[in-house]
Amino acid sequence: MEQKLKCDVYIGKNLRRLREKFGLSQEKLCAELQCRNCDIGRSTYAKYENGELN
């Protein structure tokens, strides 16, 4: 049987809250993540925050 993951409706809100807590823009956060070998663009990250990706 195929198991589907349950959508976490709070992940985007939590990401935004933490990012803002540390005073980072989406662009600066993504630049920092890319320096740490996590290849994510700002538009993709924005989709996580807006709940379009989970």
Side-chain angles (χ1 to χ4, degrees):
M1 279 175 38
E2 183 179 328
Q3 183 179 4
K4 293 187 177 184
L5 295 175
K6 193 175 184 183
C7 182
D8 184 352
V9 295
Y10 300 108
I11 195 166
K13 291 178 185 178
N14 289 334
L15 286 172
R16 182 177 303 216
R17 181 182 54 81
L18 288 169
R19 178 180 58 79
E20 290 175 347
K21 177 181 176 181
F22 289 99
L24 295 170
S25 67
Q26 289 179 347
E27 188 173 313
K28 287 183 180 181
L29 175 63
C30 290
E32 183 64 34
L33 289 170
Q34 289 171 356
C35 287
R36 296 170 187 246
N37 295 323
C38 179
D39 191 20
I40 184 170
R42 194 210 53 81
S43 61
T44 302
Y45 178 80
K47 289 178 183 179
Y48 283 115
E49 278 194 3
N50 292 323
E52 295 173 32
L53 289 175
N54 192 6

